[in-house]
Amino acid sequence: RQGYSNLCNLITYSRMGQYGSRIDPRIDPELLADHSVGLIVLTGCSKGRIASLITEENIDSAEEELIGYIERFGASKVFVELQRNLVYGDTKKNKLLLRLAKKVDISVVATNNVHYHIPSRHRLQDALIAIKNNKTLEETHRERRPNSNFYLKSVAQMKNLFEELPEAIS
């Protein structure tokens, strides 16, 4: 109950606070410490802070950021997210993220960047992105997902994607 309350407060702050807006929600990391009870931290998708730093090969900054989460929440409540959306760079990024998680001694978790419930809905998602940006489909090519793998996968599908990392599934 406390975790859900804290999550709701953080969402509100992210959309109304000085760092974020309804369109681009963001939050002051210091608020996390004040609202950490009952929550866990996942490092985020490829556009998240940790994965972005890893992609830029800024490993030291990624480690520093991750240690900040661990200090705020505790090592047992912070998980490095690994995703396989069959996008260029996933394999290298996951190897670096796994290495980083082992270095700071925290667990990994397999997640999926879900934007629609079934693969065939990716075209609808593309149209919604175009509408959101007030552009044509062709003009939003960079904003759209690169393939139709951003759907809600079953447990069996996730186990198959991460068969060599059962600890990320459990």
Side-chain angles (χ1 to χ4, degrees):
R1 187 173 279 257
Q2 182 63 50
Y4 184 72
S5 175
N6 281 331
L7 180 61
C8 289
N9 284 323
L10 289 169
I11 290 169
T12 300
Y13 293 140
S14 76
R15 295 182 176 275
M16 299 177 67
Q18 70 185 63
Y19 292 96
S21 68
R22 187 179 63 77
I23 294 169
D24 186 24
R26 295 181 186 270
I27 193 161
D28 177 358
E30 294 309 314
L31 280 175
L32 293 175
D34 297 337
H35 295 84
S36 65
V37 175
L39 297 177
I40 62 169
V41 175
L42 303 177
T43 57
C45 69
S46 64
K47 293 184 180 179
R49 183 85 175 123
I50 303 290
S52 294
L53 289 167
I54 290 288
T55 300
E56 297 164 4
E57 297 186 15
N58 196 341
I59 310 299
D60 292 338
S61 293
E63 182 179 347
E64 186 179 307
E65 189 89 15
L66 190 55
I67 289 170
Y69 291 145
I70 293 167
E71 288 170 352
R72 288 185 192 99
F73 284 85
S76 67
K77 299 213 176 189
V78 178
F79 298 84
V80 171
E81 271 186 82
L82 304 175
Q83 296 185 347
R84 293 216 172 113
N85 298 305
L86 307 179
V87 175
Y88 177 78
D90 275 356
T91 302
K92 179 181 178 184
K93 186 183 312 167
N94 283 337
K95 284 180 183 177
L96 292 171
L97 286 167
L98 187 58
R99 189 178 306 149
L100 178 60
K102 286 179 180 178
K103 183 176 181 182
V104 299
D105 196 30
I106 61 171
S107 298
V108 294
V109 62
T111 66
N112 198 41
N113 196 349
V114 177
H115 289 267
Y116 33 87
H117 66 297
I118 55 175
S120 63
R121 290 297 187 156
H122 81 277
R123 300 259 185 241
L124 176 58
Q125 173 70 14
D126 291 349
L128 291 172
I129 295 296
I131 291 167
K132 174 185 172 188
N133 291 290
N134 197 27
K135 296 179 180 178
T136 66
L137 281 171
E138 189 167 323
E139 291 171 328
T140 58
H141 184 71
R142 289 185 179 178
E143 290 96 344
R144 291 185 278 136
R145 304 289 158 211
N147 61 38
S148 62
N149 282 291
F150 293 82
Y151 67 97
L152 184 60
K153 292 179 175 69
S154 69
V155 172
Q157 289 170 313
M158 292 300 289
K159 283 182 178 179
N160 186 47
L161 278 172
F162 290 92
E163 64 186 341
E164 81 290 353
L165 282 172
E167 69 273 19
I169 297 293
S170 63

